[in-house]
Amino acid sequence: MSKPMNQAYQWPEAGERRLPRFIYTDEAIFAREMERIFFADSWNYVALSCELPNPGDYILSSIGNVGVVVSRDRKGEVRVFVNRCPHRGARLCERRKGNNKLFTCPYHEWSFNLEGRLVGVPLSRGVDGKGGMSEQFDPSAHHLQQLHVAQRHGVIFASFSNTIAPLTDYFGPKILKYFDRVCDGRPLKVIGKHKHVVYGNWKLQIENVKDTVHAAILHAFFTLFGIWRSDQKTQIVVEANGRHSVLASTATFTKQEGSSSTTANGEFQLADERLIAHSPEFQEATGAVMTLWPNLIFLQQLNCLVMRHVEPVNSNSCIKTWTFFAYADEASELTERRIKQANLLGAAGLVTIDDNEILASCQQGIAYPQDFQCVLEAGEGNGDCDYMVSESAIRGFYQYYRQVMEL
Ligand SMILES: [Fe+2]
């Protein structure tokens, strides 16, 4: 365990009700986050299992700011490797996804099999009996760096930690109940991907989804068309130590006559209701947004199902990768509906685009000189509550963050 952060990083006396500027702007803090959060005791979302159905299939992902390759080996096991050749450090795999029999580094063409073993070194015997690899070179000592892998109902997580708790203990029953509500073991299929930069610290993006207060204020579309109101039935569920949370909420919809779908009751009506009309398919809430420590946003809203992977780049930006999914065996009309709603809730949709802009604006303002603290005074405590105007889930997140970061 390294030493606590020095005096330059004093957390405000008000505890989690104030967030200091340096956690969003300081590169030493960012480096500490990588070391203590992403490369330590965390299960990091990397991909959906259905993205690599066959042996040799792979897809690129990340853990913190480290690129990884998620792949399926010859026996069908999922493996996660650091995307780095152990020879000279080059990126081993460049294509975003594909199918390989071997992973071959472009620099000197060292080749690795699907289990990560070094199986080919060109020119290892030199040329014309001269040169080549030395006597002491042992290929078995140079395999790919491999991470621990855990899966639940088609969702793949990986960890650098040798001491990490099993996935079920890591999430705990309160959170798993919501996870399993959508990912219940039915086979999944990917129906779309978005990827874009957010010009804000990765934690601003996580906070944004835990921030129930802004939804009915910033997102005018939500309120005007009746998809979201601050007085709708709401449950904020926070895991005991604060790191994961769920916002489960129910908008009021009216059943359409002679149809299985429902439409919103808002001040305005869309000429074409297909964007927001939805078929109810889950118990308890019309939307459940989970934020799973450290950086997965698992969203179900109306018929939109998506994993939003928030990939930290540096202290002032992150990349958000969206994987929209559906159930493999569902009716094609339902899949169509999910794709349509990606235009509402996706990266350039009528809602998220507000967040992208406001997060960049916050990042810029927070970075202005001099001292600055964000204020989190809405609601009480750092845990569960049954009303919307609360920042308790954000405070819960920082309660755990401070513990891990020793701040
Ligand atoms: Fe938002």
Side-chain angles (χ1 to χ4, degrees):
M1 191 66 85
S2 42
K3 290 191 198 106
M5 301 297 273
N6 66 29
Q7 292 298 311
Y9 301 108
Q10 274 295 336
W11 198 277
E13 274 178 19
E16 291 83 43
R17 290 184 169 266
R18 294 292 182 278
L19 305 175
R21 174 181 181 271
F22 61 76
I23 63 168
Y24 303 101
T25 58
D26 191 293
E27 288 302 327
I29 290 282
F30 181 83
R32 175 68 63 112
E33 288 174 348
M34 295 304 111
E35 180 193 318
R36 296 212 163 188
I37 297 174
F38 292 94
F39 312 150
D41 283 343
S42 56
W43 279 116
N44 297 270
Y45 168 83
V46 285
L48 295 179
S49 172
C50 62
E51 295 183 273
L52 24 139
N54 304 306
D57 287 350
Y58 69 87
I59 186 163
L60 301 189
S61 187
S62 71
I63 296 183
N65 60 355
V66 167
V68 298
V69 183
V70 186
S71 68
R72 198 172 288 279
D73 72 15
R74 288 173 290 185
K75 289 188 176 148
E77 293 297 313
V78 172
R79 302 207 181 222
V80 178
F81 303 110
V82 174
N83 191 6
R84 171 173 67 187
C85 178
H87 181 204
R88 302 292 290 274
R91 205 164 29 249
L92 184 69
C93 199
E94 291 284 356
R95 292 179 60 160
R96 199 177 58 75
K97 61 184 291 189
N99 182 280
N100 268 348
K101 288 198 166 57
L102 293 171
F103 292 103
T104 303
C105 175
Y107 199 0
H108 304 87
E109 294 192 356
W110 281 25
S111 294
F112 302 84
N113 67 14
L114 299 178
E115 288 71 42
R117 297 264 148 215
L118 176 58
V119 292
V121 176
L123 305 176
S124 61
R125 288 161 195 243
V127 174
D128 295 337
K130 288 183 179 175
M133 302 309 280
S134 74
E135 285 282 299
Q136 56 277 30
F137 174 68
D138 172 11
S140 71
H142 304 281
H143 47 261
L144 298 179
Q145 186 183 350
Q146 198 165 159
L147 283 79
H148 298 282
V149 175
Q151 298 185 60
R152 187 170 182 86
H153 299 164
V155 188
I156 306 169
F157 296 87
S159 181
F160 278 98
S161 169
N162 294 321
T163 55
I164 182 91
L167 201 63
T168 46
D169 298 346
Y170 177 79
F171 289 132
K174 275 167 80 173
I175 301 298
L176 281 180
K177 181 186 135 189
Y178 287 95
F179 186 99
D180 292 352
R181 176 175 169 271
V182 176
C183 290
D184 57 5
R186 276 182 281 174
L188 306 176
K189 63 178 178 187
V190 171
I191 58 172
K193 282 265 188 184
H194 292 168
K195 188 169 184 151
H196 62 100
V197 177
V198 176
Y199 295 98
N201 184 281
W202 69 275
K203 300 186 297 301
L204 282 177
Q205 177 61 75
I206 300 295
E207 288 171 30
N208 171 257
V209 178
K210 292 178 184 279
D211 178 344
T212 45
V213 184
H214 87 285
I217 300 172
L218 175 70
H219 303 304
F221 186 93
F222 266 165
T223 334
L224 288 175
F225 292 94
I227 302 169
W228 194 279
R229 292 161 49 111
S230 290
D231 61 356
Q232 69 191 37
K233 189 174 156 241
T234 294
Q235 202 66 46
I236 295 173
V237 178
V238 185
E239 184 242 8
N241 59 23
R243 59 189 171 179
H244 320 293
S245 65
V246 184
L247 160 65
S249 199
T250 303
T252 324
F253 286 87
T254 308
K255 190 145 183 345
Q256 284 177 329
E257 254 181 72
S259 153
S260 64
S261 74
T262 60
T263 49
N265 304 318
E267 194 180 329
F268 291 91
Q269 296 263 290
L270 287 169
D272 182 348
E273 285 269 357
R274 284 178 302 168
L275 189 63
I276 55 178
H278 82 291
S279 354
E281 57 177 325
F282 300 106
Q283 293 291 314
E284 218 180 288
T286 53
V289 190
M290 279 167 268
T291 39
L292 304 179
W293 178 270
N295 63 336
L296 176 64
I297 301 166
F298 176 169
L299 178 132
Q300 174 266 315
Q301 196 165 2
L302 310 181
N303 296 118
C304 189
L305 310 177
V306 57
M307 298 296 181
R308 293 161 60 176
H309 188 199
V310 181
E311 306 177 72
V313 175
N314 52 32
S315 72
N316 55 39
S317 68
C318 56
I319 291 172
K320 204 154 52 149
T321 303
W322 304 59
T323 305
F324 294 88
F325 63 95
Y327 302 105
D329 58 358
E330 71 185 24
S332 59
E333 300 81 59
L334 184 54
T335 305
E336 286 295 312
R337 188 159 273 186
R338 298 192 205 282
I339 292 169
K340 182 68 100 179
Q341 284 172 9
N343 293 299
L344 171 66
L345 299 158
L350 294 161
V351 175
T352 306
I353 203 156
D354 305 335
D355 291 319
N356 294 341
E357 194 165 334
I358 208 72
L359 297 186
S361 162
C362 289
Q363 182 69 35
Q364 196 174 32
I366 291 168
Y368 283 166
Q370 294 286 327
D371 219 12
F372 179 80
Q373 296 177 355
C374 292
V375 178
L376 295 179
E377 289 286 353
E380 296 300 326
N382 296 359
D384 296 1
C385 66
D386 60 358
Y387 50 88
M388 188 82 82
V389 188
S390 170
E391 287 155 335
S392 70
I394 309 177
R395 288 190 294 267
F397 176 88
Y398 281 106
Q399 175 189 311
Y400 188 67
Y401 177 88
R402 290 183 64 189
Q403 189 186 318
V404 174
M405 293 284 287
E406 283 190 62
L407 282 168

